[in-house]
Amino acid sequence: MTNTLLIMLEGAKSRSWTARFNPPAVIGFACGQAITLAVVLGPIIGQPWLNGFRNYFSSDQFAYAAIATNVSQGSLALVEPFNETGQLFYPSAWYLVLGLFSRLTGLPVHQAWTLLGVLAIGGTVLACGMVAWRASRLWWAPILPALALLTGTFALATGGYWYVILDRHAVLWGPFGTLFTLNAEVIGLCIIATAMVALIGL
């Protein structure tokens, strides 16, 4: 009787382990992360991806980087980042995190910016892929969130650009364009997406 119970328990453990770990799904998750890296790093192929700075809309990007740089040098005052006077009007929580990370690790701000940004996007895609896999148990399901990053606006076909220009100076970008800057807006999107996934249930 005891032996039978032990065999049943071992079988249950084995089934539980295989339910949690599916080797083909690992391939799906790996492919999802590879696609994510291609989307995030693709625009700067051939350039030093870690040492470069994503200066799209450079006036904003440099202001954000100045906040993080000030923090990395020990200044936590919420002041205008260039002359360090007045009051800071930029949303700055993420740049405080970047500055503190840079200060603690010794990494330059631009490297911390890229490293943490890429990790945030990769983590979000991983979380979304986990939900897709748990809902379907299909090995390729974790790839779908990464493929969503490749969607666009059909702008190239309709206007010859990679973005759509709308009225009142509005511009519609595809996800790959939105995520390129790796700034606080991108991190905010990652937090929102991950929170929604958590509510659905990892």
PDB file of all heavy atoms in Angstrom, residues 144-170:
ATOM      1  N   LEU A 144       4.276  35.264 -30.043  1.00  0.00           N
ATOM      2  CA  LEU A 144       3.286  36.223 -30.524  1.00  0.00           C
ATOM      3  C   LEU A 144       3.453  37.631 -29.949  1.00  0.00           C
ATOM      4  O   LEU A 144       3.361  38.615 -30.703  1.00  0.00           O
ATOM      5  CB  LEU A 144       1.870  35.698 -30.243  1.00  0.00           C
ATOM      6  CG  LEU A 144       1.507  34.386 -30.955  1.00  0.00           C
ATOM      7  CD1 LEU A 144       0.093  33.961 -30.585  1.00  0.00           C
ATOM      8  CD2 LEU A 144       1.642  34.544 -32.465  1.00  0.00           C
ATOM      9  N   PRO A 145       3.697  37.794 -28.635  1.00  0.00           N
ATOM     10  CA  PRO A 145       3.891  39.164 -28.139  1.00  0.00           C
ATOM     11  C   PRO A 145       5.079  39.871 -28.788  1.00  0.00           C
ATOM     12  O   PRO A 145       5.032  41.083 -29.026  1.00  0.00           O
ATOM     13  CB  PRO A 145       4.117  38.967 -26.633  1.00  0.00           C
ATOM     14  CG  PRO A 145       3.461  37.670 -26.322  1.00  0.00           C
ATOM     15  CD  PRO A 145       3.681  36.820 -27.534  1.00  0.00           C
ATOM     16  N   ALA A 146       6.131  39.109 -29.073  1.00  0.00           N
ATOM     17  CA  ALA A 146       7.288  39.720 -29.739  1.00  0.00           C
ATOM     18  C   ALA A 146       6.943  40.125 -31.166  1.00  0.00           C
ATOM     19  O   ALA A 146       7.359  41.188 -31.644  1.00  0.00           O
ATOM     20  CB  ALA A 146       8.471  38.747 -29.727  1.00  0.00           C
ATOM     21  N   LEU A 147       6.172  39.290 -31.855  1.00  0.00           N
ATOM     22  CA  LEU A 147       5.773  39.626 -33.223  1.00  0.00           C
ATOM     23  C   LEU A 147       4.910  40.881 -33.255  1.00  0.00           C
ATOM     24  O   LEU A 147       4.917  41.626 -34.242  1.00  0.00           O
ATOM     25  CB  LEU A 147       5.014  38.454 -33.851  1.00  0.00           C
ATOM     26  CG  LEU A 147       5.842  37.201 -34.161  1.00  0.00           C
ATOM     27  CD1 LEU A 147       4.950  36.107 -34.736  1.00  0.00           C
ATOM     28  CD2 LEU A 147       6.973  37.525 -35.132  1.00  0.00           C
ATOM     29  N   ALA A 148       4.168  41.115 -32.168  1.00  0.00           N
ATOM     30  CA  ALA A 148       3.331  42.319 -32.111  1.00  0.00           C
ATOM     31  C   ALA A 148       4.175  43.588 -32.197  1.00  0.00           C
ATOM     32  O   ALA A 148       3.693  44.633 -32.657  1.00  0.00           O
ATOM     33  CB  ALA A 148       2.506  42.320 -30.826  1.00  0.00           C
ATOM     34  N   LEU A 149       5.442  43.499 -31.767  1.00  0.00           N
ATOM     35  CA  LEU A 149       6.323  44.663 -31.844  1.00  0.00           C
ATOM     36  C   LEU A 149       6.644  45.036 -33.287  1.00  0.00           C
ATOM     37  O   LEU A 149       7.098  46.149 -33.556  1.00  0.00           O
ATOM     38  CB  LEU A 149       7.632  44.392 -31.091  1.00  0.00           C
ATOM     39  CG  LEU A 149       7.520  44.037 -29.608  1.00  0.00           C
ATOM     40  CD1 LEU A 149       8.909  43.830 -29.028  1.00  0.00           C
ATOM     41  CD2 LEU A 149       6.772  45.112 -28.841  1.00  0.00           C
ATOM     42  N   LEU A 150       6.430  44.100 -34.201  1.00  0.00           N
ATOM     43  CA  LEU A 150       6.752  44.344 -35.606  1.00  0.00           C
ATOM     44  C   LEU A 150       5.587  44.952 -36.381  1.00  0.00           C
ATOM     45  O   LEU A 150       5.732  45.270 -37.556  1.00  0.00           O
ATOM     46  CB  LEU A 150       7.166  43.026 -36.282  1.00  0.00           C
ATOM     47  CG  LEU A 150       8.442  42.377 -35.740  1.00  0.00           C
ATOM     48  CD1 LEU A 150       8.633  40.997 -36.354  1.00  0.00           C
ATOM     49  CD2 LEU A 150       9.650  43.255 -36.028  1.00  0.00           C
ATOM     50  N   THR A 151       4.440  45.075 -35.733  1.00  0.00           N
ATOM     51  CA  THR A 151       3.297  45.655 -36.436  1.00  0.00           C
ATOM     52  C   THR A 151       3.559  47.127 -36.723  1.00  0.00           C
ATOM     53  O   THR A 151       4.304  47.796 -36.009  1.00  0.00           O
ATOM     54  CB  THR A 151       2.010  45.518 -35.609  1.00  0.00           C
ATOM     55  OG1 THR A 151       2.207  46.147 -34.331  1.00  0.00           O
ATOM     56  CG2 THR A 151       1.642  44.066 -35.408  1.00  0.00           C
ATOM     57  N   GLY A 152       2.935  47.619 -37.770  1.00  0.00           N
ATOM     58  CA  GLY A 152       3.146  49.008 -38.163  1.00  0.00           C
ATOM     59  C   GLY A 152       1.845  49.710 -38.478  1.00  0.00           C
ATOM     60  O   GLY A 152       0.766  49.293 -38.046  1.00  0.00           O
ATOM     61  N   THR A 153       1.943  50.757 -39.252  1.00  0.00           N
ATOM     62  CA  THR A 153       0.780  51.600 -39.551  1.00  0.00           C
ATOM     63  C   THR A 153       0.465  51.639 -41.046  1.00  0.00           C
ATOM     64  O   THR A 153      -0.370  52.433 -41.465  1.00  0.00           O
ATOM     65  CB  THR A 153       1.051  53.033 -39.069  1.00  0.00           C
ATOM     66  OG1 THR A 153       2.203  53.539 -39.766  1.00  0.00           O
ATOM     67  CG2 THR A 153       1.314  53.071 -37.572  1.00  0.00           C
ATOM     68  N   PHE A 154       1.127  50.796 -41.830  1.00  0.00           N
ATOM     69  CA  PHE A 154       1.008  50.806 -43.296  1.00  0.00           C
ATOM     70  C   PHE A 154       1.443  52.146 -43.882  1.00  0.00           C
ATOM     71  O   PHE A 154       1.073  52.507 -44.989  1.00  0.00           O
ATOM     72  CB  PHE A 154      -0.427  50.480 -43.743  1.00  0.00           C
ATOM     73  CG  PHE A 154      -0.855  49.084 -43.411  1.00  0.00           C
ATOM     74  CD1 PHE A 154      -1.675  48.843 -42.324  1.00  0.00           C
ATOM     75  CD2 PHE A 154      -0.416  48.005 -44.167  1.00  0.00           C
ATOM     76  CE1 PHE A 154      -2.061  47.555 -42.000  1.00  0.00           C
ATOM     77  CE2 PHE A 154      -0.799  46.715 -43.852  1.00  0.00           C
ATOM     78  CZ  PHE A 154      -1.626  46.484 -42.768  1.00  0.00           C
ATOM     79  N   ALA A 155       2.234  52.884 -43.096  1.00  0.00           N
ATOM     80  CA  ALA A 155       2.647  54.215 -43.536  1.00  0.00           C
ATOM     81  C   ALA A 155       3.562  54.148 -44.750  1.00  0.00           C
ATOM     82  O   ALA A 155       3.499  55.010 -45.628  1.00  0.00           O
ATOM     83  CB  ALA A 155       3.347  54.943 -42.390  1.00  0.00           C
ATOM     84  N   LEU A 156       4.411  53.132 -44.794  1.00  0.00           N
ATOM     85  CA  LEU A 156       5.344  53.037 -45.918  1.00  0.00           C
ATOM     86  C   LEU A 156       4.591  52.859 -47.228  1.00  0.00           C
ATOM     87  O   LEU A 156       4.969  53.419 -48.261  1.00  0.00           O
ATOM     88  CB  LEU A 156       6.308  51.868 -45.689  1.00  0.00           C
ATOM     89  CG  LEU A 156       7.528  51.810 -46.612  1.00  0.00           C
ATOM     90  CD1 LEU A 156       8.391  53.053 -46.431  1.00  0.00           C
ATOM     91  CD2 LEU A 156       8.350  50.563 -46.329  1.00  0.00           C
ATOM     92  N   ALA A 157       3.501  52.108 -47.167  1.00  0.00           N
ATOM     93  CA  ALA A 157       2.716  51.867 -48.381  1.00  0.00           C
ATOM     94  C   ALA A 157       1.869  53.077 -48.761  1.00  0.00           C
ATOM     95  O   ALA A 157       1.639  53.344 -49.941  1.00  0.00           O
ATOM     96  CB  ALA A 157       1.819  50.649 -48.176  1.00  0.00           C
ATOM     97  N   THR A 158       1.411  53.825 -47.764  1.00  0.00           N
ATOM     98  CA  THR A 158       0.482  54.925 -48.044  1.00  0.00           C
ATOM     99  C   THR A 158       1.157  56.285 -48.147  1.00  0.00           C
ATOM    100  O   THR A 158       0.672  57.166 -48.856  1.00  0.00           O
ATOM    101  CB  THR A 158      -0.600  54.994 -46.951  1.00  0.00           C
ATOM    102  OG1 THR A 158       0.032  55.178 -45.674  1.00  0.00           O
ATOM    103  CG2 THR A 158      -1.420  53.715 -46.927  1.00  0.00           C
ATOM    104  N   GLY A 159       2.269  56.465 -47.417  1.00  0.00           N
ATOM    105  CA  GLY A 159       2.877  57.788 -47.411  1.00  0.00           C
ATOM    106  C   GLY A 159       4.365  57.820 -47.659  1.00  0.00           C
ATOM    107  O   GLY A 159       4.962  58.888 -47.755  1.00  0.00           O
ATOM    108  N   GLY A 160       4.985  56.640 -47.739  1.00  0.00           N
ATOM    109  CA  GLY A 160       6.416  56.596 -47.992  1.00  0.00           C
ATOM    110  C   GLY A 160       7.273  56.810 -46.761  1.00  0.00           C
ATOM    111  O   GLY A 160       8.495  56.904 -46.866  1.00  0.00           O
ATOM    112  N   TYR A 161       6.656  56.894 -45.587  1.00  0.00           N
ATOM    113  CA  TYR A 161       7.397  57.065 -44.342  1.00  0.00           C
ATOM    114  C   TYR A 161       7.131  55.865 -43.439  1.00  0.00           C
ATOM    115  O   TYR A 161       6.249  55.053 -43.704  1.00  0.00           O
ATOM    116  CB  TYR A 161       6.965  58.346 -43.613  1.00  0.00           C
ATOM    117  CG  TYR A 161       7.172  59.610 -44.412  1.00  0.00           C
ATOM    118  CD1 TYR A 161       6.096  60.234 -45.036  1.00  0.00           C
ATOM    119  CD2 TYR A 161       8.431  60.184 -44.548  1.00  0.00           C
ATOM    120  CE1 TYR A 161       6.272  61.395 -45.768  1.00  0.00           C
ATOM    121  CE2 TYR A 161       8.619  61.344 -45.279  1.00  0.00           C
ATOM    122  CZ  TYR A 161       7.535  61.942 -45.892  1.00  0.00           C
ATOM    123  OH  TYR A 161       7.711  63.074 -46.620  1.00  0.00           O
ATOM    124  N   TRP A 162       7.876  55.791 -42.324  1.00  0.00           N
ATOM    125  CA  TRP A 162       7.631  54.711 -41.372  1.00  0.00           C
ATOM    126  C   TRP A 162       6.646  55.145 -40.288  1.00  0.00           C
ATOM    127  O   TRP A 162       6.334  54.392 -39.381  1.00  0.00           O
ATOM    128  CB  TRP A 162       8.934  54.229 -40.738  1.00  0.00           C
ATOM    129  CG  TRP A 162       9.702  55.269 -39.973  1.00  0.00           C
ATOM    130  CD1 TRP A 162      10.655  56.102 -40.465  1.00  0.00           C
ATOM    131  CD2 TRP A 162       9.577  55.580 -38.588  1.00  0.00           C
ATOM    132  NE1 TRP A 162      11.131  56.922 -39.474  1.00  0.00           N
ATOM    133  CE2 TRP A 162      10.490  56.624 -38.308  1.00  0.00           C
ATOM    134  CE3 TRP A 162       8.791  55.090 -37.550  1.00  0.00           C
ATOM    135  CZ2 TRP A 162      10.633  57.180 -37.045  1.00  0.00           C
ATOM    136  CZ3 TRP A 162       8.930  55.645 -36.282  1.00  0.00           C
ATOM    137  CH2 TRP A 162       9.846  56.674 -36.045  1.00  0.00           C
ATOM    138  N   TYR A 163       6.125  56.359 -40.388  1.00  0.00           N
ATOM    139  CA  TYR A 163       5.127  56.856 -39.442  1.00  0.00           C
ATOM    140  C   TYR A 163       4.048  57.608 -40.208  1.00  0.00           C
ATOM    141  O   TYR A 163       4.237  58.012 -41.359  1.00  0.00           O
ATOM    142  CB  TYR A 163       5.770  57.775 -38.398  1.00  0.00           C
ATOM    143  CG  TYR A 163       6.567  58.917 -38.989  1.00  0.00           C
ATOM    144  CD1 TYR A 163       5.955  60.102 -39.387  1.00  0.00           C
ATOM    145  CD2 TYR A 163       7.947  58.800 -39.152  1.00  0.00           C
ATOM    146  CE1 TYR A 163       6.688  61.140 -39.938  1.00  0.00           C
ATOM    147  CE2 TYR A 163       8.685  59.831 -39.704  1.00  0.00           C
ATOM    148  CZ  TYR A 163       8.053  61.001 -40.090  1.00  0.00           C
ATOM    149  OH  TYR A 163       8.775  62.026 -40.644  1.00  0.00           O
ATOM    150  N   VAL A 164       2.904  57.794 -39.565  1.00  0.00           N
ATOM    151  CA  VAL A 164       1.774  58.489 -40.182  1.00  0.00           C
ATOM    152  C   VAL A 164       1.641  59.867 -39.543  1.00  0.00           C
ATOM    153  O   VAL A 164       1.582  59.990 -38.315  1.00  0.00           O
ATOM    154  CB  VAL A 164       0.461  57.702 -39.978  1.00  0.00           C
ATOM    155  CG1 VAL A 164      -0.728  58.496 -40.524  1.00  0.00           C
ATOM    156  CG2 VAL A 164       0.553  56.353 -40.661  1.00  0.00           C
ATOM    157  N   ILE A 165       1.609  60.897 -40.373  1.00  0.00           N
ATOM    158  CA  ILE A 165       1.421  62.261 -39.882  1.00  0.00           C
ATOM    159  C   ILE A 165      -0.074  62.574 -39.877  1.00  0.00           C
ATOM    160  O   ILE A 165      -0.751  62.453 -40.896  1.00  0.00           O
ATOM    161  CB  ILE A 165       2.175  63.268 -40.767  1.00  0.00           C
ATOM    162  CG1 ILE A 165       3.676  62.956 -40.751  1.00  0.00           C
ATOM    163  CG2 ILE A 165       1.918  64.696 -40.288  1.00  0.00           C
ATOM    164  CD1 ILE A 165       4.487  63.830 -41.679  1.00  0.00           C
ATOM    165  N   LEU A 166      -0.580  62.964 -38.719  1.00  0.00           N
ATOM    166  CA  LEU A 166      -1.994  63.280 -38.559  1.00  0.00           C
ATOM    167  C   LEU A 166      -2.169  64.786 -38.360  1.00  0.00           C
ATOM    168  O   LEU A 166      -1.198  65.545 -38.374  1.00  0.00           O
ATOM    169  CB  LEU A 166      -2.563  62.505 -37.363  1.00  0.00           C
ATOM    170  CG  LEU A 166      -2.375  60.981 -37.418  1.00  0.00           C
ATOM    171  CD1 LEU A 166      -2.840  60.349 -36.119  1.00  0.00           C
ATOM    172  CD2 LEU A 166      -3.128  60.388 -38.594  1.00  0.00           C
ATOM    173  N   ASP A 167      -3.400  65.212 -38.171  1.00  0.00           N
ATOM    174  CA  ASP A 167      -3.678  66.631 -37.947  1.00  0.00           C
ATOM    175  C   ASP A 167      -3.102  67.102 -36.614  1.00  0.00           C
ATOM    176  O   ASP A 167      -2.841  66.310 -35.707  1.00  0.00           O
ATOM    177  CB  ASP A 167      -5.188  66.879 -37.965  1.00  0.00           C
ATOM    178  CG  ASP A 167      -5.783  66.649 -39.354  1.00  0.00           C
ATOM    179  OD1 ASP A 167      -5.015  66.773 -40.333  1.00  0.00           O
ATOM    180  OD2 ASP A 167      -6.982  66.338 -39.449  1.00  0.00           O
ATOM    181  N   ARG A 168      -2.920  68.402 -36.500  1.00  0.00           N
ATOM    182  CA  ARG A 168      -2.482  69.047 -35.253  1.00  0.00           C
ATOM    183  C   ARG A 168      -1.140  68.494 -34.762  1.00  0.00           C
ATOM    184  O   ARG A 168      -0.938  68.267 -33.565  1.00  0.00           O
ATOM    185  CB  ARG A 168      -3.547  68.912 -34.163  1.00  0.00           C
ATOM    186  CG  ARG A 168      -4.891  69.509 -34.557  1.00  0.00           C
ATOM    187  CD  ARG A 168      -5.893  69.405 -33.426  1.00  0.00           C
ATOM    188  NE  ARG A 168      -7.209  69.839 -33.864  1.00  0.00           N
ATOM    189  CZ  ARG A 168      -7.617  71.109 -33.924  1.00  0.00           C
ATOM    190  NH1 ARG A 168      -6.783  72.076 -33.587  1.00  0.00           N
ATOM    191  NH2 ARG A 168      -8.835  71.416 -34.329  1.00  0.00           N
ATOM    192  N   HIS A 169      -0.247  68.263 -35.685  1.00  0.00           N
ATOM    193  CA  HIS A 169       1.123  67.835 -35.387  1.00  0.00           C
ATOM    194  C   HIS A 169       1.203  66.444 -34.755  1.00  0.00           C
ATOM    195  O   HIS A 169       2.236  66.078 -34.199  1.00  0.00           O
ATOM    196  CB  HIS A 169       1.820  68.845 -34.463  1.00  0.00           C
ATOM    197  CG  HIS A 169       1.810  70.242 -34.980  1.00  0.00           C
ATOM    198  ND1 HIS A 169       2.566  70.641 -36.056  1.00  0.00           N
ATOM    199  CD2 HIS A 169       1.106  71.338 -34.591  1.00  0.00           C
ATOM    200  CE1 HIS A 169       2.343  71.921 -36.299  1.00  0.00           C
ATOM    201  NE2 HIS A 169       1.464  72.367 -35.434  1.00  0.00           N
ATOM    202  N   ALA A 170       0.120  65.690 -34.812  1.00  0.00           N
ATOM    203  CA  ALA A 170       0.149  64.339 -34.242  1.00  0.00           C
ATOM    204  C   ALA A 170       0.853  63.383 -35.198  1.00  0.00           C
ATOM    205  O   ALA A 170       0.775  63.524 -36.418  1.00  0.00           O
ATOM    206  CB  ALA A 170      -1.269  63.856 -33.966  1.00  0.00           C
TER     207      ALA A 170
END
